[in-house]
Amino acid sequence: MTGFSIGDFISGEKKGELSDLFSHKNDKAEPQYDYSVIPKRVSKRKQEDEDEDDERKVVQKKKKKKDKKKQMKGELGKSDQQKKNGQSATATNLEEKKEDKSKILKNKEENNKLDPLKEKRTVFVGNLPVSMKEKELKKMFSQFGSVECIRFRSAARPDLKTTKKVAVIKQTFHEERKNINAYIRFSTEDEAKKSCSFNGSEVDGHAVRVDMSLNSKSHEQNKAIFLGNLDFRTHEDDVRTAFKSCGEILDVRLVRDSSTGIGKGFGYVNFASKDSVETAMKLDGTEVCGRKVRVSRSHRKPKATSQGGQVMKGGHKQNNHKNRNNNKNRNNNRDLKNVSFNQKFEDKKSKFLKKKGKEGKVEAKPFQGVTTTESKPDRKVKLNKQELKKKYIAKKLMG
């Protein structure tokens, strides 16, 4: 670098050299530090405050636990008392419920008990149309006398949830059931007997059956036939049309299920004369509602019971056989009284010997063509090698 004067600097002749001195900068790189290694500086006061907060939290937790335990103990004590009180209350409630049930059952039994005086004045009306209402039925039978009450029965429920009473009130019946029964009570017995003349008359295409309620189950068996293999959907009118040619039909009874009201597949037809039964027997195998019906004479069979000496299934007595045996034993005992002691002893001896088999050899029954008493040939016993050697040595020693 050459010398220069202030004048040169001001004039700008040697501007480059001076500008170079101030323009060139040697900047150093900034140092890089790892701040993660350096611990955080926390003041002592902050640490003390945090420790105090932690202690307070622990104390509060302990207090909460103690309070919960106290509450639990109090609740347990209350619950024990409540349980005791509840047990006593439940016991009293159960006793009251039992008393209520017993009262209800007594009332039902009293209601179910048939009053003979009222039943003499009541009439059974069967095969009524389902659309029949109480007012219409009352008008129909008021010509015979004053009607006290009407009860509809044998209603077919649409489903198992609905009761018969609800089905009658709402007029909702099973689709395949077209008829219903009823009981009508008159003010006098004579009026009820007069109403029986309405038997066989048609009401909306249904031949109505009218009979006294006490006589509805008693029928002459020699004037009736039994029908089997009936379709479950058959109605009284279908059977009546099939057997109309046989003679005058008093009534048709189809047995139905008490819970559902649908037929069980059998029934009865009651005729006015015995001759019509003979003609109806010839119609065995006739089709009614698409099924061949089995026709037979009606026989009264006593009800099946499980008690001793009473009637069992099929109408036979349970102890008939026992009674016969008892009668035979009694007769034998009477004869034995007249027999001497020696004869009795000999008879007992002969019986005992027969059991033992000493009195004559009893021939055994043959099995597959061969008698068991025949003597069988002795079987040859097979000997081992050692036994055969011993036998051979014994023979040599003996010989």
Side-chain angles (χ1 to χ4, degrees), residues 224-390:
I225 57 167
F226 173 80
L227 302 176
N229 196 31
L230 288 168
D231 191 54
F232 300 111
R233 295 171 291 179
T234 54
H235 295 283
E236 284 81 353
D237 298 318
D238 299 328
V239 176
R240 192 179 280 271
T241 52
F243 291 91
K244 193 185 285 184
S245 61
C246 299
E248 186 184 350
I249 297 169
L250 294 175
D251 56 63
V252 178
R253 293 179 293 129
L254 298 180
V255 181
R256 300 181 187 279
D257 189 22
S258 60
S259 62
T260 58
I262 296 166
K264 288 186 176 181
F266 64 94
Y268 301 90
V269 180
N270 294 315
F271 292 99
S273 63
K274 295 179 183 178
D275 297 330
S276 53
V277 174
E278 297 296 330
T279 53
M281 291 293 292
K282 294 176 183 178
L283 296 174
D284 186 21
T286 56
E287 285 191 2
V288 179
C289 295
R291 295 187 76 171
K292 290 183 178 181
V293 180
R294 188 174 67 255
V295 183
S296 61
R297 295 179 187 276
S298 178
H299 298 287
R300 187 179 290 280
K301 291 184 179 180
K303 290 181 180 180
T305 54
S306 59
Q307 293 179 358
Q310 291 185 358
V311 180
M312 296 295 288
K313 288 182 181 178
H316 301 290
K317 285 188 178 179
Q318 186 181 7
N319 290 335
N320 275 342
H321 188 66
K322 290 182 180 179
N323 291 328
R324 287 174 188 171
N325 290 330
N326 289 328
N327 291 326
K328 284 181 182 179
N329 291 327
R330 285 175 187 173
N331 293 325
N332 291 328
N333 290 327
R334 286 174 187 172
D335 296 332
L336 286 169
K337 286 180 182 177
N338 300 322
V339 180
S340 62
F341 176 77
N342 292 324
Q343 288 178 354
K344 288 180 185 178
F345 181 75
E346 286 176 0
D347 290 334
K348 286 182 179 179
K349 190 176 180 180
S350 63
K351 285 178 182 178
F352 180 75
L353 291 171
K354 278 180 183 178
K355 286 180 182 179
K356 293 286 183 182
K358 291 180 180 179
E359 189 180 298
K361 288 184 179 180
V362 180
E363 290 185 359
K365 291 181 180 179
F367 177 72
Q368 293 182 357
V370 181
T371 56
T372 56
T373 54
E374 289 179 358
S375 60
K376 293 179 182 180
D378 295 331
R379 291 181 181 178
K380 290 183 179 180
V381 181
K382 290 182 180 181
L383 300 174
N384 298 328
K385 288 182 180 180
Q386 291 180 356
E387 290 176 352
L388 289 169
K389 282 182 182 179
K390 287 178 182 179

